[in-house]
Protein backbone atom coordinates (compact mmCIF):
# COMPACT_ATOMS: atom_id res chain seq x y z
CA UNK A 1 0.00 0.00 0.00
CA UNK A 2 1.37 3.42 -1.01
CA UNK A 3 0.73 6.19 1.48
CA UNK A 4 0.53 9.89 0.68
CA UNK A 5 0.40 12.26 3.64
CA UNK A 6 -0.78 15.80 2.87
CA UNK A 7 -1.03 19.03 4.86
CA UNK A 8 -4.81 19.14 4.96
CA UNK A 9 -8.06 17.51 3.87
CA UNK A 10 -8.23 20.04 1.00
CA UNK A 11 -4.77 19.04 -0.16
CA UNK A 12 -5.79 15.37 0.05
CA UNK A 13 -8.77 16.06 -2.19
CA UNK A 14 -6.52 17.81 -4.71
CA UNK A 15 -4.14 14.86 -4.63
CA UNK A 16 -6.96 12.32 -5.14
CA UNK A 17 -8.26 14.41 -8.05
CA UNK A 18 -4.77 14.47 -9.58
CA UNK A 19 -4.56 10.70 -9.35
CA UNK A 20 -7.84 10.37 -11.27
CA UNK A 21 -6.79 13.04 -13.80
CA UNK A 22 -3.55 11.24 -14.48
CA UNK A 23 -5.50 8.05 -15.27
CA UNK A 24 -7.61 10.08 -17.72
CA UNK A 25 -4.49 11.62 -19.24
CA UNK A 26 -3.16 8.13 -19.95
CA UNK A 27 -6.52 6.97 -21.28
CA UNK A 28 -9.15 9.57 -22.28
CA UNK A 29 -11.65 6.69 -22.52
CA UNK A 30 -10.98 5.45 -19.00
CA UNK A 31 -13.64 4.08 -16.70
CA UNK A 32 -13.62 5.68 -13.25
CA UNK A 33 -15.06 3.94 -10.20
CA UNK A 34 -16.46 6.71 -8.01
CA UNK A 35 -17.48 7.13 -4.39
CA UNK A 36 -19.88 9.38 -2.52
CA UNK A 37 -19.97 10.41 1.14
CA UNK A 38 -18.59 13.40 2.99
CA UNK A 39 -14.93 12.65 2.32
CA UNK A 40 -15.20 12.17 -1.44
CA UNK A 41 -17.26 15.33 -1.81
CA UNK A 42 -14.19 17.55 -1.72
CA UNK A 43 -12.62 15.76 -4.71
CA UNK A 44 -15.32 16.69 -7.23
CA UNK A 45 -14.77 20.47 -7.28
CA UNK A 46 -11.18 19.77 -8.40
CA UNK A 47 -12.38 17.48 -11.18
CA UNK A 48 -14.94 20.10 -12.27
CA UNK A 49 -12.31 22.85 -12.19
CA UNK A 50 -9.97 20.79 -14.37
CA UNK A 51 -12.77 20.61 -16.96
CA UNK A 52 -13.45 24.36 -16.71
CA UNK A 53 -9.74 25.08 -17.17
CA UNK A 54 -9.83 22.76 -20.20
CA UNK A 55 -7.26 20.47 -18.65
CA UNK A 56 -9.57 17.50 -19.22
CA UNK A 57 -12.60 16.44 -21.20
CA UNK A 58 -14.96 13.77 -19.92
CA UNK A 59 -16.75 13.17 -23.24
CA UNK A 60 -15.39 9.65 -23.58
CA UNK A 61 -15.14 8.82 -19.88
CA UNK A 62 -17.36 6.24 -18.22
CA UNK A 63 -18.09 6.19 -14.52
CA UNK A 64 -19.58 3.64 -12.20
CA UNK A 65 -20.39 4.25 -8.56
CA UNK A 66 -19.82 1.93 -5.65
CA UNK A 67 -23.27 1.89 -4.17
CA UNK A 68 -26.73 3.38 -3.64
CA UNK A 69 -29.26 3.36 -0.82
CA UNK A 70 -32.25 1.06 -1.27
CA UNK A 71 -35.58 2.85 -1.26
CA UNK A 72 -34.44 6.31 -2.33
CA UNK A 73 -35.59 7.53 -5.75
CA UNK A 74 -32.87 9.04 -7.97
CA UNK A 75 -34.14 12.57 -7.26
CA UNK A 76 -34.14 12.14 -3.46
CA UNK A 77 -31.70 14.75 -2.07
CA UNK A 78 -29.72 12.04 -0.23
CA UNK A 79 -29.59 9.54 -3.08
CA UNK A 80 -26.13 8.96 -4.48
CA UNK A 81 -27.47 9.66 -7.99
CA UNK A 82 -28.52 13.10 -6.80
CA UNK A 83 -25.13 13.60 -5.09
CA UNK A 84 -23.18 12.70 -8.23
CA UNK A 85 -25.30 14.89 -10.51
CA UNK A 86 -25.10 17.82 -8.10
CA UNK A 87 -21.40 17.73 -7.31
CA UNK A 88 -20.00 16.40 -10.56
CA UNK A 89 -21.97 15.35 -13.64
CA UNK A 90 -24.10 18.51 -14.02
CA UNK A 91 -20.93 20.61 -14.31
CA UNK A 92 -18.92 18.64 -16.87
CA UNK A 93 -19.19 17.40 -20.46
CA UNK A 94 -19.80 13.74 -19.62
CA UNK A 95 -22.50 11.80 -21.48
CA UNK A 96 -25.10 10.94 -18.82
CA UNK A 97 -25.54 7.53 -20.49
CA UNK A 98 -21.93 6.81 -19.58
CA UNK A 99 -22.55 7.28 -15.86
CA UNK A 100 -23.81 4.27 -13.96
CA UNK A 101 -25.05 4.36 -10.42
CA UNK A 102 -27.00 1.34 -9.26
CA UNK A 103 -30.64 2.11 -8.68
CA UNK A 104 -32.10 1.74 -5.23
CA UNK A 105 -35.67 2.05 -6.46
CA UNK A 106 -35.91 -0.73 -9.07
CA UNK A 107 -36.62 -4.41 -8.51
CA UNK A 108 -33.58 -5.60 -6.62
CA UNK A 109 -32.76 -8.83 -8.40
CA UNK A 110 -32.72 -7.37 -11.93
CA UNK A 111 -30.72 -4.40 -10.64
CA UNK A 112 -28.10 -6.72 -9.12
CA UNK A 113 -27.84 -8.37 -12.54
CA UNK A 114 -27.54 -4.99 -14.33
CA UNK A 115 -24.89 -3.71 -11.96
CA UNK A 116 -22.85 -6.94 -12.25
CA UNK A 117 -23.06 -6.75 -16.03
CA UNK A 118 -21.89 -3.12 -16.08
CA UNK A 119 -18.89 -4.06 -13.94
CA UNK A 120 -18.06 -6.75 -16.48
CA UNK A 121 -18.36 -4.60 -19.60
CA UNK A 122 -16.91 -1.42 -18.09
CA UNK A 123 -13.71 -2.54 -16.35
CA UNK A 124 -12.54 0.23 -14.04
CA UNK A 125 -9.10 1.74 -14.54
CA UNK A 126 -9.28 3.29 -11.11
CA UNK A 127 -11.57 3.10 -8.09
CA UNK A 128 -11.95 5.98 -5.64
CA UNK A 129 -12.84 4.87 -2.11
CA UNK A 130 -13.74 6.38 1.21
CA UNK A 131 -13.68 4.31 4.37
CA UNK A 132 -16.32 3.77 7.03
CA UNK A 133 -15.67 4.21 10.75
CA UNK A 134 -15.97 0.41 10.97
CA UNK A 135 -13.59 -0.15 8.05
CA UNK A 136 -16.26 -0.72 5.41
CA UNK A 137 -15.47 -0.05 1.76
CA UNK A 138 -18.47 0.52 -0.47
CA UNK A 139 -21.13 -0.86 1.84
CA UNK A 140 -19.20 -4.05 2.57
CA UNK A 141 -19.80 -4.11 6.31
CA UNK A 142 -17.76 -6.08 8.86
CA UNK A 143 -18.89 -9.65 9.53
CA UNK A 144 -17.95 -13.31 9.45
CA UNK A 145 -18.12 -13.33 5.67
CA UNK A 146 -17.89 -10.77 2.90
CA UNK A 147 -19.53 -10.97 -0.51
CA UNK A 148 -17.30 -10.95 -3.59
CA UNK A 149 -19.92 -9.57 -5.96
CA UNK A 150 -22.78 -7.11 -6.13
CA UNK A 151 -25.28 -7.62 -3.33
CA UNK A 152 -27.79 -5.99 -1.02
CA UNK A 153 -26.07 -5.02 2.21
CA UNK A 154 -27.64 -4.37 5.58
CA UNK A 155 -26.03 -1.26 6.99
CA UNK A 156 -24.15 -1.58 10.25
CA UNK A 157 -25.45 0.44 13.22
CA UNK A 158 -22.20 2.42 13.16
CA UNK A 159 -22.78 3.29 9.49
CA UNK A 160 -26.38 4.36 10.10
CA UNK A 161 -25.24 6.55 12.99
CA UNK A 162 -22.42 8.08 10.93
CA UNK A 163 -24.70 8.80 7.97
CA UNK A 164 -27.53 10.23 10.09
CA UNK A 165 -25.82 13.63 9.74
CA UNK A 166 -27.12 13.82 6.16
CA UNK A 167 -30.74 13.06 7.12
CA UNK A 168 -33.33 14.75 9.32
CA UNK A 169 -33.03 11.89 11.82
CA UNK A 170 -31.37 8.50 12.24
CA UNK A 171 -34.72 6.81 11.48
CA UNK A 172 -34.66 8.22 7.96
CA UNK A 173 -31.33 6.63 7.03
CA UNK A 174 -32.05 3.66 4.75
CA UNK A 175 -31.19 0.34 6.39
CA UNK A 176 -30.02 -1.37 3.21
CA UNK A 177 -27.99 -0.53 0.13
CA UNK A 178 -26.94 -2.09 -3.16
CA UNK A 179 -23.15 -2.25 -3.33
CA UNK A 180 -20.20 -3.61 -5.27
CA UNK A 181 -18.68 -6.57 -3.44
CA UNK A 182 -15.07 -6.62 -2.27
CA UNK A 183 -14.13 -8.78 -5.27
CA UNK A 184 -15.54 -6.09 -7.56
CA UNK A 185 -13.58 -3.39 -5.75
CA UNK A 186 -10.36 -5.40 -6.02
CA UNK A 187 -10.85 -5.75 -9.77
CA UNK A 188 -10.17 -2.06 -10.43
CA UNK A 189 -6.76 -1.46 -12.03
CA UNK A 190 -5.81 1.03 -9.36
CA UNK A 191 -7.37 1.98 -6.03
CA UNK A 192 -7.24 5.43 -4.41
CA UNK A 193 -8.55 5.58 -0.85
CA UNK A 194 -9.13 8.97 0.72
CA UNK A 195 -9.54 9.37 4.47
CA UNK A 196 -9.84 12.19 6.95
CA UNK A 197 -11.01 12.58 10.56
CA UNK A 198 -9.86 10.95 13.78
CA UNK A 199 -12.78 8.49 13.78
CA UNK A 200 -11.07 6.68 10.87
CA UNK A 201 -7.73 6.21 12.67
CA UNK A 202 -8.40 2.80 14.24
CA UNK A 203 -9.43 1.06 11.02
CA UNK A 204 -6.74 2.78 8.94
CA UNK A 205 -4.15 1.50 11.37
CA UNK A 206 -5.37 -2.04 10.66
CA UNK A 207 -4.91 -1.41 6.94
CA UNK A 208 -1.61 0.47 7.07
CA UNK A 209 0.30 -1.08 9.94
CA UNK A 210 -1.55 -4.31 10.80
CA UNK A 211 -0.55 -7.73 9.46
CA UNK A 212 -4.02 -9.25 9.18
CA UNK A 213 -6.54 -9.50 6.40
CA UNK A 214 -9.92 -9.93 8.08
CA UNK A 215 -13.57 -9.75 7.06
CA UNK A 216 -14.15 -8.03 10.42
CA UNK A 217 -12.31 -4.97 9.04
CA UNK A 218 -13.19 -4.99 5.33
CA UNK A 219 -10.58 -2.38 4.29
CA UNK A 220 -7.83 -4.85 5.23
CA UNK A 221 -8.74 -6.82 2.08
CA UNK A 222 -7.15 -3.98 0.11
CA UNK A 223 -3.80 -5.51 1.12
CA UNK A 224 -4.55 -8.13 -1.53
CA UNK A 225 -4.39 -5.52 -4.32
CA UNK A 226 -1.11 -4.52 -5.93
CA UNK A 227 -1.84 -0.83 -6.60
CA UNK A 228 -3.52 0.86 -3.65
CA UNK A 229 -2.78 4.47 -2.67
CA UNK A 230 -4.09 5.80 0.63
CA UNK A 231 -4.23 9.59 0.90
CA UNK A 232 -4.56 11.10 4.36
CA UNK A 233 -3.82 14.42 6.02
CA UNK A 234 -1.08 14.94 8.58
CA UNK A 235 -3.53 15.18 11.46
CA UNK A 236 -4.98 11.74 10.73
CA UNK A 237 -1.56 10.26 9.89
CA UNK A 238 -0.36 11.34 13.31
CA UNK A 239 -3.28 9.52 14.94
CA UNK A 240 -2.65 6.39 12.87
CA UNK A 241 0.91 6.48 14.15
C1 LIG B 1 -19.71 5.91 -0.48
C2 LIG B 1 -19.24 4.69 0.18
C3 LIG B 1 -18.85 4.64 1.61
C4 LIG B 1 -18.15 5.90 2.12
C5 LIG B 1 -17.82 5.76 3.61
C6 LIG B 1 -17.19 7.01 4.19
O1 LIG B 1 -20.02 5.69 -1.84
O2 LIG B 1 -19.20 3.67 -0.46
O3 LIG B 1 -18.02 3.53 1.82
O4 LIG B 1 -16.98 6.12 1.38
O5 LIG B 1 -18.99 5.45 4.31
O6 LIG B 1 -18.12 8.02 4.22
P1 LIG B 1 -17.72 9.49 4.72
O7 LIG B 1 -16.73 9.99 3.75
O8 LIG B 1 -19.02 10.27 4.68
O9 LIG B 1 -17.16 9.33 6.08
Amino acid sequence: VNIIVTDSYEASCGEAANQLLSVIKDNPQACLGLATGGTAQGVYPYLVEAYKQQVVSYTEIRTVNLDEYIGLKPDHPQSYRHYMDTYFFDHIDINPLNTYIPSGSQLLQPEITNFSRILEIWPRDVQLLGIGVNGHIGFNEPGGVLQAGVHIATLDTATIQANARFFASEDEVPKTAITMGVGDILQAGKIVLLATGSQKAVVLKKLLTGEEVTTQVPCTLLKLHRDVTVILDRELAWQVG
Side-chain angles (χ1 to χ4, degrees):
V1 179
N2 313 305
I3 306 175
I4 299 179
V5 179
T6 69
D7 284 343
S8 64
Y9 165 66
E10 266 308 307
S12 292
C13 291
E15 179 57 38
N18 284 340
Q19 300 257 346
L20 296 181
L21 291 168
S22 104
V23 169
I24 297 174
K25 200 169 168 226
D26 288 347
N27 175 13
Q29 304 183 323
C31 178
L32 312 178
L34 298 177
T36 59
T39 313
Q41 200 176 315
V43 178
Y44 296 111
Y46 287 95
L47 295 176
V48 169
E49 191 54 26
Y51 163 69
K52 291 193 171 147
Q53 299 296 329
Q54 300 182 338
V55 173
V56 67
S57 166
Y58 297 98
T59 49
E60 294 180 272
I61 293 295
R62 290 194 168 98
T63 67
V64 48
N65 268 71
L66 283 165
D67 42 25
E68 177 64 285
Y69 289 121
I70 298 299
L72 301 191
K73 297 241 168 66
D75 61 355
H76 185 285
Q78 291 311 330
S79 80
Y80 289 161
R81 165 50 75 180
H82 185 265
Y83 172 117
M84 290 307 302
D85 288 344
T86 307
Y87 296 121
F88 194 29
F89 302 145
D90 287 352
H91 311 286
I92 59 170
D93 59 349
I94 200 162
N95 178 349
L97 295 175
N98 288 343
T99 69
Y100 182 84
I101 301 173
S103 169
S105 57
Q106 308 279 348
L107 283 176
L108 298 182
Q109 213 50 53
E111 191 53 17
I112 289 173
T113 308
N114 281 341
F115 192 5
S116 310
R117 176 91 185 111
I118 287 284
L119 293 173
E120 244 174 71
I121 61 177
W122 294 3
R124 282 147 294 141
D125 295 278
V126 61
Q127 176 67 56
L128 178 65
L129 292 179
I131 184 171
V133 289
N134 58 9
H136 75 203
I137 46 176
F139 278 127
N140 293 277
E141 302 284 28
V145 292
L146 288 173
Q147 300 291 322
V150 171
H151 62 284
I152 306 300
T154 300
L155 304 196
D156 208 81
T157 320
T159 303
I160 293 174
Q161 281 167 1
N163 290 4
R165 70 193 195 279
F166 298 114
F167 292 83
S169 74
E170 206 174 294
D171 291 347
E172 287 181 34
V173 183
K175 307 288 176 282
T176 52
I178 180 168
T179 182
M180 282 186 204
V182 282
D184 300 319
I185 291 173
L186 292 173
Q187 264 163 27
K190 179 183 171 65
I191 295 177
V192 176
L193 187 151
L194 181 63
T196 190
S198 54
Q199 60 299 2
K200 308 285 173 71
V202 172
V203 286
L204 268 181
K205 206 181 174 93
K206 303 221 158 127
L207 168 61
L208 299 178
T209 65
E211 295 293 328
E212 289 182 350
V213 171
T214 166
T215 60
Q216 299 297 346
V217 188
C219 65
T220 59
L221 272 85
L222 296 174
K223 292 177 195 178
L224 305 175
H225 194 281
R226 63 156 87 203
D227 189 357
V228 178
T229 301
V230 175
I231 305 172
L232 68 173
D233 44 77
R234 225 187 306 121
E235 203 176 319
L236 176 55
W238 185 78
Q239 283 160 329
V240 172

